[in-house]
Amino acid sequence: MKRTMNKKRLWLKNGIRLDGVLYQEIPGLVKTYRSPAFAEKYTYEGHDLGVVYTKERTCFKLWSPAADAVWVNLFATGSDGEEGAQSIGHFPMNTPSEAGVWSLVLKGDLKNVYYTFTLDFCGEKVETADPYARAAGVNGLRSMVVDLRATDPEGWEEDSYSYRGHQTEAVVWEVHVKDFSHAADSGMEPKGKYAALGVPGTRALLPEGNGDVIISTGTDHLRELGITHVHLLPVAENATVNEAVRESSYNWGYDPLNYNVPEGSFSQDPFHGDVRIRELKEAVLRLHRQGIGVVLDVVYNHTYHTKDSWFERIMPCYYHRTMPDGDFGNASGCGNETASERPMMRRYMLDSLEYWAREYHVDGFRFDLMGIHDVETMNEIRDMLDSLPGKNYLLYGEPWSALPPAIPKGVLPADGGHLLDMKEHIGVFDDRLRDSVKGSCFEKEEGGFVTGVAGTEPELRSVFRAFLDKNEKMLPDRRVAYVSAHDNFTLWDKLTFTVESDGSGFDAPEMLRVAVNKLAAACYLTAQGMVFMQAGEEFGRSKQGEDNSYNLGPEINDIFWSRKARFRELFEYYKGLIAMRKRYKAFTDETGRAARGAVIFLETDNQVGYLLPGIKPGDPRWILVLLNGTEEEKTVELPELIPEDMEWQVLADEAHASADALWSFRGKEAHVYMRSALIAVSEEIFRGEYDTFLFDLDGTIIDSGEGVTNAVAYALTKMGLEVPERSQLNKFIGPPLIESFREFCSMDPETARKAVDLFREYYPVKGMYECFLYEGIRPVLASLKAAGKRLILATSKPEPQAVAILKYLGVDIYFDFLAGASADTSRNKKEQVVAYALELAGIKDLSRVVMVGDRKYDITGARQNGLETIAVLYGYGSRQELEEFGAAYIIHTPADLLKFV
């Protein structure tokens, strides 16, 4: 976003009066703002600034210790040009509290009424929208009283999506709402709107000559590709797009106006402030139902307007940093920078982020120019998000600023130089990886590793070690691996400028550029840390060579989905790499064990070769990654630690990539084609160092299946009901039992409760006996015990018969009385049961414990206690479901447990 600098200013027009002192010179006022005394007196700890609505009354609150008087102005519409526009009233607010908060309560139902504030500073009156507003009229110039519950779409309260993976396991796809669906070939309607996000079943409208080729677009494409999260470029209301005109100007959204209000140009009705809220929630809900998380790009580092911003209008010179001469700081390059270190700006950011997380169910945040903010603020944000229940929130940002920030002495900026001062799970974009792989993002004809530029290998070495070779505290979850984003050239355009090709231009899948693009993808999709990609990178997205398209409109910015048909080979390669990354934990290890154990044996002449170790039982002993940026095929000698007869299963070569083996080779020599990657896994597996196995009582690893199905048959027989065929009975889901009986047997709640009682009458006695003496598990447990492994069972209801059998098998039992006796409640207490068992067992080193379970609440319980998780494939659900729940390793039979010995 390009803006002009503000003229220097030293004096306020009429001045500001604080505690009886008149301030006319800006530096003196700012000095007061920075004082501990001001912070102590005027920091408001409440979370109710703006509007709190009920049908009976509405409370308005505004923080402005400097104002001499404040009024609330009510309007029938969001702008004067609408039908029925009129002023409803002008009401003085009450004298502010000691913290400087003005308030007013108006009785009656003010739902969907619009409002502004008027403030008086020493005789100068200014009108402003509410910076804390949750809703606004067209173009955001008037705020709106909103009933948020009335904006919830159907099924909103049942939205149960919860990302439980580590930040390093996320694969994030960055897109602008309008770009996503606006192109004529998208197959989506309405084009460019929230209402097109998350809609399944869309297909590309391909040009003639493509025969019967069917290309999925939109959400189906995302599921096919395998990403975990969609990153939406800013959806908070921006200042430069005219919402009143359907096809008006275009902007990425880094020109913030209202931080808590969705952008109206993406709505089908921007004139009624509640509609855009509902439409954005519906989009989030649809994406969640497809198993896709939503990350919001947030721009708290500056405001679009400076002296005319809502912040400046309610409290001049407070929310923005200033230079010694009184001018606005300009670390954003957009005319100003916000002062996150000041208590009320920090409180604003925390409240705003919590609001988006709770009200819109979003799953993470990306910070624009995070280096402008301060370390303490970012740490408080991380703590706040971690305190919210239900999911792991992604948190990452740009570790730089456009210009040096005007940050006070002693305050640490949240930039790359202070990364280790920030808490874990705050990731930053790795521009060193980006520029090493493809060349400078600013110099369009400067190449990188993939285009044959020498000297980039040492930087890549550090990248693939997650920079642990430079600092042991630099864990992978602090890094975001990427090679393209909305800024600068798309990857395909960059390669068009730097790779000698046949001259076919931006829109043809020319063979050499496709090969180099595949290599670039292999470089960052095998790197440690979270991975991030620009929408459409997977099928050669082009912006026709434009490197700053923030306002250039849809003809440049649209995603043209028909490219997926032309670049199908490239898309399939990305898809395969993502599936491979998800399958093999060494790529996504958040602990740094894989990075520390990496063996980099080749680092010269545009070649990099390294081995990643397995980190959990059942992993390949080694993962081989060879990257060849030269124009020649290379034969690479593997290091001495590799046996002569080692067999390798190839997952990626110059043509294809997959989570499953493409072909194999044996020995210590590997051949890698020009400008390509070779990725392979050893046939030998890693057996791990686990010494403790924590079992779930109901896990199918210790359940033959007969225990459950016989208990169901027993219950139905006792009730005089028909018992289905065994093949049908095997489909019985299991706990929660009441829900299962209701669904499987079409029972009402009371009948289901009787069935559950009968089920339990059978299951603890005969069922448990069948489960634990099942021939498939008994010898496995005996082998584990003989190997010196500790076997622990975590349960909320130890039945006497089960206890006797388990003791016979050498299993220790721990249970939690607080979890209750019902399997229906224990599913919600799994993490407490596991934690209690670990505590009673005196286990401190969680890295040596693996939990055995097969349901999402087993897996969640393990993950929340820092354990690895085995998920059993044959009991409940599919491999894909278990992977989505976050299973660390999936086995097929009880005997597979012996791989851990």
Side-chain angles (χ1 to χ4, degrees):
M1 183 172 61
K2 299 177 180 176
R3 297 282 308 282
T4 57
M5 295 284 290
N6 293 280
K7 293 182 178 179
K8 296 191 183 302
R9 42 142 213 180
L10 186 60
W11 303 94
L12 294 164
K13 183 177 180 182
N14 289 6
I16 282 180
R17 187 176 289 105
L18 279 169
D19 297 329
V21 177
L22 179 64
Y23 294 89
Q24 291 185 302
E25 190 178 20
I26 291 173
L29 177 62
V30 171
K31 184 178 180 180
T32 297
Y33 285 159
R34 291 180 176 177
S35 69
F38 182 88
E40 182 177 355
K41 182 173 182 179
Y42 290 115
T43 298
Y44 181 61
E45 299 294 344
H47 302 276
D48 56 353
L49 292 176
V51 162
V52 175
Y53 164 84
T54 66
K55 189 173 182 179
E56 293 74 30
R57 50 188 274 170
T58 297
C59 180
F60 299 84
K61 286 189 176 181
L62 182 70
W63 182 78
S64 182
D68 295 324
V70 183
W71 295 265
V72 175
N73 313 302
L74 300 184
F75 304 90
T77 58
S79 66
D80 286 335
E82 299 172 52
E83 183 178 351
Q86 62 174 317
S87 172
I88 298 177
H90 184 68
F91 306 92
M93 300 188 78
N94 298 321
T95 303
S97 66
E98 289 185 3
V101 175
W102 300 78
S103 64
L104 175 67
V105 174
L106 293 177
K107 294 182 179 180
D109 191 352
L110 297 184
K111 179 179 176 180
N112 297 346
V113 169
Y114 296 86
Y115 70 97
T116 61
F117 295 113
T118 297
L119 297 91
D120 186 318
F121 299 101
C122 296
E124 180 187 5
K125 288 186 174 62
V126 294
E127 186 178 5
T128 178
D130 180 2
Y132 278 86
R134 281 21 176 172
V138 66
N139 289 321
L141 300 181
R142 289 176 182 166
S143 306
M144 192 185 91
V145 178
V146 62
D147 178 1
L148 288 169
R149 297 289 64 80
T151 68
D152 293 344
E154 183 178 352
W156 188 241
E157 290 185 1
E158 289 75 45
D159 178 21
S160 60
Y161 174 84
S162 175
Y163 180 68
R164 300 305 311 172
H166 294 288
Q167 186 149 307
T168 51
E169 296 171 305
V171 181
V172 180
W173 195 80
E174 177 206 51
V175 71
H176 183 272
V177 172
K178 188 170 186 176
D179 298 351
F180 185 73
S181 60
H182 187 266
D185 62 2
S186 73
M188 289 179 266
E189 295 289 345
K191 297 194 178 303
K193 304 298 181 183
Y194 296 124
L197 279 173
V199 177
T202 61
R203 299 291 181 263
L205 304 177
L206 298 174
E208 293 184 11
N210 284 275
D212 295 328
V213 176
I214 298 176
I215 299 298
S216 61
T217 65
T219 307
D220 284 8
H221 168 83
L222 300 180
R223 287 179 57 83
E224 186 182 1
L225 181 60
I227 59 100
T228 63
H229 292 75
V230 165
H231 163 142
L232 298 178
L233 265 63
V235 297
E237 189 167 37
N238 66 65
T240 59
V241 175
N242 185 353
E243 298 172 352
V245 180
R246 181 171 177 82
E247 288 293 338
S248 62
S249 56
Y250 175 96
N251 203 289
W252 281 338
Y254 296 97
D255 51 344
L257 179 68
N258 289 310
Y259 287 102
N260 298 321
V261 178
E263 167 59 25
S265 64
F266 303 143
S267 172
Q268 298 181 86
D269 180 4
F271 291 93
H272 295 88
D274 56 330
V275 175
R276 64 182 76 179
I277 298 174
R278 183 180 304 107
E279 289 178 334
L280 179 53
K281 288 180 177 179
E282 288 170 344
V284 172
L285 182 59
R286 286 192 298 268
L287 287 166
H288 281 176
R289 285 174 171 170
Q290 299 297 317
I292 297 171
V294 179
V295 174
L296 297 188
D297 201 324
V298 291
V299 195
Y300 296 105
N301 64 80
H302 74 282
T303 54
Y304 176 74
H305 298 294
T306 302
K307 65 180 181 179
D308 290 327
S309 71
W310 310 147
F311 283 153
E312 195 68 10
R313 291 186 184 190
I314 68 167
M315 193 65 179
C317 305
Y318 179 83
Y319 289 93
H320 296 100
R321 294 186 188 130
T322 54
M323 305 296 284
D325 62 2
D327 195 8
F328 287 101
N330 189 28
S332 67
C334 301
N336 63 74
E337 62 186 272
T338 54
S340 61
E341 71 280 1
R342 296 181 189 168
M344 289 304 290
M345 182 62 204
R346 179 177 294 159
R347 170 54 53 199
Y348 184 91
M349 292 173 64
L350 286 161
D351 286 349
S352 178
L353 291 162
E354 183 173 356
Y355 169 72
W356 283 106
R358 289 184 182 274
E359 188 64 33
Y360 288 87
H361 298 186
V362 299
D363 309 285
F365 300 95
R366 177 267 192 191
F367 280 75
D368 180 61
L369 296 181
M370 190 173 73
I372 293 176
H373 300 312
D374 67 288
V375 164
E376 185 177 346
T377 295
M378 293 308 303
N379 285 342
E380 288 196 25
I381 289 169
R382 181 70 269 177
D383 286 343
M384 180 272 292
L385 292 176
D386 288 343
S387 73
L388 301 181
K391 65 182 72 175
N392 292 337
Y393 289 89
L394 302 187
L395 184 61
Y396 57 100
E398 294 178 305
W400 51 71
S401 55
L403 295 167
I407 199 163
K409 186 177 180 179
V411 176
L412 301 180
D415 57 17
H418 297 91
L419 184 56
L420 293 178
D421 293 301
M422 289 187 272
K423 291 182 178 287
E424 293 180 7
H425 315 310
I426 299 177
V428 298
F429 287 94
D430 187 354
D431 55 332
R432 291 168 293 187
L433 169 62
R434 177 197 69 195
D435 291 351
S436 296
V437 169
K438 70 175 185 179
S440 169
C441 66
F442 301 110
E443 303 296 331
K444 71 178 183 180
E445 296 181 358
E446 179 184 310
F449 174 82
V450 298
T451 53
V453 174
T456 55
E457 302 88 356
E459 192 67 44
L460 289 177
R461 172 192 177 93
S462 289
V463 163
F464 296 134
R465 288 290 312 281
F467 296 99
L468 282 162
D469 52 349
K470 297 181 178 180
N471 193 313
E472 280 295 309
K473 295 181 180 179
M474 194 69 75
L475 294 177
D477 73 350
R478 297 186 183 276
R479 300 178 58 251
V480 177
Y482 79 119
V483 293
S484 75
H486 64 277
D487 278 324
N488 312 116
F489 301 106
T490 69
L491 177 59
W492 184 255
D493 286 355
K494 175 69 175 178
L495 297 179
T496 301
F497 291 127
T498 55
V499 176
E500 290 188 15
S501 64
D502 61 6
S504 56
F506 296 109
D507 298 327
E510 188 267 327
M511 184 172 62
L512 182 57
R513 274 180 290 160
V514 168
V516 174
N517 195 323
K518 288 179 181 178
L519 178 57
C523 286
Y524 84 92
L525 285 169
T526 58
Q528 299 293 301
M530 188 189 97
V531 297
F532 171 100
M533 60 194 301
Q534 183 183 19
E537 181 191 306
E538 67 276 17
F539 48 78
R541 184 179 183 181
S542 173
K543 294 188 179 182
Q544 304 301 309
E546 294 287 350
D547 68 334
N548 189 21
S549 64
Y550 77 98
N551 66 349
L552 294 184
E555 62 276 6
I556 293 295
N557 287 291
D558 274 357
I559 296 175
F560 296 102
W561 290 94
S562 58
R563 291 179 75 93
K564 183 178 174 182
R566 299 199 302 276
F567 288 78
R568 188 76 196 200
E569 178 184 339
L570 183 61
F571 166 75
E572 293 292 341
Y573 200 82
Y574 271 84
K575 174 183 172 182
L577 287 176
I578 291 171
M580 177 192 73
R581 182 179 179 86
K582 287 182 171 181
R583 176 77 59 85
Y584 295 99
K585 180 66 177 176
F587 292 123
T588 62
D589 173 37
E590 72 285 353
T591 69
R593 282 183 290 164
R596 289 188 186 94
V599 178
I600 299 182
F601 60 89
L602 180 63
E603 181 193 335
T604 183
D605 301 329
N606 273 112
Q607 300 173 75
V608 173
Y610 64 98
L611 295 163
L612 278 178
I615 59 170
K616 58 184 178 60
D619 277 353
R621 181 66 185 88
W622 294 106
I623 299 177
L624 170 66
V625 179
L626 293 175
L627 306 170
N628 179 14
T630 75
E631 295 181 342
E632 300 176 354
E633 182 177 357
K634 297 291 183 178
T635 298
V636 176
E637 183 76 16
L638 302 185
E640 292 184 3
L641 60 87
I642 300 300
E644 292 286 348
D645 62 346
M646 177 77 81
E647 183 170 346
W648 298 92
Q649 302 293 326
V650 174
L651 305 178
D653 57 17
E654 72 280 2
H656 305 289
S658 172
D660 301 312
L662 302 172
W663 50 277
S664 64
F665 70 95
R666 185 179 294 275
K668 295 186 62 170
E669 281 192 349
H671 303 278
V672 55
Y673 197 67
M674 62 174 286
R675 299 279 176 87
S676 71
L678 181 78
I679 304 170
V681 295
S682 64
E683 187 71 15
E684 178 187 348
I685 64 170
F686 174 65
R687 297 190 181 277
E689 300 177 355
Y690 294 105
D691 58 18
T692 303
F693 292 80
L694 186 70
F695 290 93
D696 166 28
L697 179 65
D698 297 318
T700 53
I701 188 63
I702 48 175
D703 186 344
S704 66
E706 295 297 311
V708 172
T709 55
N710 287 346
V712 174
Y714 175 83
L716 296 177
T717 301
K718 280 284 188 178
M719 297 176 72
L721 300 175
E722 182 180 353
V723 179
E725 296 275 344
R726 176 65 63 176
S727 60
Q728 294 299 313
L729 202 56
N730 286 336
K731 297 178 182 179
F732 188 86
I733 300 171
L737 295 173
I738 289 177
E739 285 84 346
S740 293
F741 273 109
R742 289 185 65 186
E743 294 178 12
F744 182 77
C745 304
S746 302
M747 294 180 176
D748 60 69
E750 184 60 33
T751 305
R753 277 191 284 273
K754 293 179 180 178
V756 168
D757 290 339
L758 290 168
F759 177 97
R760 292 189 180 126
E761 180 181 306
Y762 177 96
Y763 191 73
V765 184
K766 295 181 180 179
M768 286 296 175
Y769 182 83
E770 292 171 357
C771 287
F772 293 106
L773 292 187
Y774 168 51
E775 288 303 311
I777 188 62
R778 185 177 179 183
V780 172
L781 294 178
S783 297
L784 289 172
K785 195 71 177 178
K789 306 297 183 182
R790 190 176 185 188
L791 310 180
I792 295 177
L793 181 101
T795 177
S796 59
K797 186 183 180 184
E799 295 290 342
Q801 294 87 349
V803 170
I805 294 168
L806 290 169
K807 284 184 176 179
Y808 170 75
L809 293 172
V811 178
D812 299 314
I813 302 105
Y814 296 98
F815 57 93
D816 182 357
F817 290 109
L818 299 178
S822 168
D824 301 302
T825 59
S826 65
R827 65 171 295 186
N828 299 317
K829 297 285 187 178
K830 183 61 66 177
E831 62 272 16
Q832 290 97 321
V833 175
V834 171
Y836 191 70
L838 293 170
E839 179 183 352
L840 289 178
I843 295 173
K844 302 296 183 183
D845 184 2
L846 299 183
S847 69
R848 300 178 69 86
V849 183
V850 62
M851 180 174 167
V852 181
D854 73 332
R855 302 173 184 83
K856 62 182 179 181
Y857 45 93
D858 297 331
I859 295 167
T860 300
R863 296 294 289 273
Q864 289 181 343
N865 284 279
L867 305 179
E868 296 283 7
T869 315
I870 299 174
V872 184
L873 185 60
Y874 71 87
Y876 302 87
S878 65
R879 172 183 287 275
Q880 180 181 353
E881 289 171 334
L882 294 174
E883 287 177 342
E884 287 176 353
F885 293 146
Y889 182 51
I890 298 173
I891 69 175
H892 293 83
T893 68
D896 286 340
L897 269 179
L898 298 180
K899 293 178 180 178
F900 289 71
V901 180

